[in-house]
Amino acid sequence: MRAAVTRGENVMELVELAPPGEPGAGEVMLAPEVVGVCGSDVHLFHGRLGQVFPRIQGHEISAVVQAVGPGADRVRPGDRVAVWPVLACGQCYACRIGRENVCADIAIIGAHVDGALQERLSVPASQVFAVGDMAPAVTAFVEPASIGVRTVVRARVTAEDRVVVLGAGPIGQAVCLAARDRGAAVLLADRVPERLEHARAMGAQEVVRGDAAAVAGPLREWAGDDGVTVLIETTGVPAVVRSALEVTAPAGRLVLVALSHEDVSLPLGDFPIKELDVLGVSCCTADEFAHAVDLVRRHADAVARLITDEFTLEQAADALAHVAGAPPELMKAIIRVAA
Ligand SMILES: [Zn+2]
Ligand SMILES: [Zn+2]
């Protein structure tokens, strides 16, 4: 079978590997069809996540079940599935309180263990969620959508909230979808106009274009007397984080989703004075992943339009370079693993 192996920083090679044997007890063998490429793939490719190479990447996965091991009866051969990439220890503090998505000993499929940029992949049956007849490219968006689901759970978003999402990349779009699904009013802001074109289809009622300084005024105006009760920061840009803290209303929730390697200085007094809840988000729980399957199914047409770029497995390194370059018209790039 063919596999795109990340050998080291910025080095990816297409190689022939022996396929895995029959799935063991509780395992399923998958034939990956489509893998979505995201910012964290680029960080990993550039060696910024402290991972061990070689590694086969790919954590936003649509696949077809090829074979099931003993006891792995939640799916059948032929089922199309989305893959929840979180492998947790089940023992640590986070796992014991139901937050296995931040397990102290977490292994994410496609980051800490091999992912789906290969023609066969065996995973525990607990990771696969049947999606029915959903298209493969749409199915691969379930994983990013699941971050949106997790985000609105963490932020306790209700129909009363005025939710501002800073950054209209795939995660920003996913957050819009999930927040709107809870009945909240949503505003999406970005400096790149092309990214905002998807906003209304993803549930945003208002869009604002501009950098952090330019959008603060319009955000406040839109939020009205209650102010921005929930602010979701998806950019990881220091100036945007500072602005996010400034515009979040007293008693509001400020959620940080971006994986950023930047340092930022913040006026510390704002946290107690406004009694803000500052929340981080990473991956999601199994229940939230199941919810994301349902959310994506109900919005499959809008999600399909987020796919702006397609690559083959041979072009996997090009796909990563393309996403790293962040051209304005890029929303979601996918790699078709199956020819
Ligand atoms: Zn991702
Ligand atoms: Zn754990």
Side-chain angles (χ1 to χ4, degrees), residues 39-221:
S40 66
D41 286 305
V42 174
H43 289 309
L44 195 150
F45 191 47
H46 291 167
R48 289 194 220 114
L49 297 183
Q51 68 286 0
V52 178
F53 294 123
R55 174 68 62 235
I56 296 172
Q57 298 188 228
H59 64 275
E60 301 180 0
I61 306 168
S62 173
V64 173
V65 175
Q66 293 297 296
V68 302
D73 44 14
R74 54 187 269 147
V75 288
R76 285 194 234 150
D79 285 352
R80 175 166 296 135
V81 295
V83 177
W84 176 49
V86 172
L87 300 170
C89 78
Q91 316 280 318
C92 72
Y93 170 70
C95 283
R96 292 201 311 275
I97 65 165
R99 289 172 63 178
E100 65 273 23
N101 55 306
V102 287
C103 169
D105 196 24
I106 198 166
I108 295 173
I109 293 171
H112 307 92
V113 297
D114 285 342
L117 288 180
Q118 54 182 334
E119 288 175 317
R120 292 290 182 277
L121 170 69
S122 280
V123 299
S126 52
Q127 311 310 119
V128 298
F129 291 74
V131 299
D133 60 359
M134 207 188 277
V138 172
T139 302
F141 197 76
V142 169
E143 197 278 336
S146 76
I147 314 283
V149 171
R150 177 72 184 159
T151 299
V152 301
V153 169
R154 291 279 283 152
R156 307 187 301 281
V157 170
T158 71
E160 305 296 308
D161 283 310
R162 308 289 278 178
V163 177
V164 163
V165 182
L166 299 180
I171 296 299
Q173 307 285 346
V175 171
C176 279
L177 204 56
R180 193 70 196 106
D181 205 50
R182 288 191 159 207
V186 184
L187 178 149
L188 184 59
D190 202 292
R191 60 190 171 74
V192 180
E194 287 86 346
R195 290 192 202 139
L196 292 170
E197 283 166 15
H198 301 274
R200 299 214 186 253
M202 299 302 279
Q205 283 141 320
E206 189 63 81
V207 298
V208 179
R209 176 159 76 94
D211 61 15
V215 301
L219 297 191
R220 282 211 181 85
E221 203 169 305

Side-chain angles (χ1 to χ4, degrees), residues 245 254 266-278:
L245 176 59
L254 170 58
L266 297 169
L268 290 181
D270 285 16
F271 296 96
I273 289 166
K274 294 201 270 190
E275 210 175 56
L276 296 179
D277 287 2
V278 180

Side-chain angles (χ1 to χ4, degrees), residues 234-287:
T234 74
T235 72
V237 175
V240 180
V241 175
R242 263 197 304 276
S243 171
L245 176 59
E246 201 182 302
V247 301
T248 307
R253 287 83 81 200
L254 170 58
V255 187
L256 304 176
V257 189
L259 257 192
S260 176
H261 301 271
E262 305 274 4
D263 285 348
V264 55
S265 71
L266 297 169
L268 290 181
D270 285 16
F271 296 96
I273 289 166
K274 294 201 270 190
E275 210 175 56
L276 296 179
D277 287 2
V278 180
L279 303 156
V281 167
S282 185
C283 302
C284 72
T285 65
D287 286 350

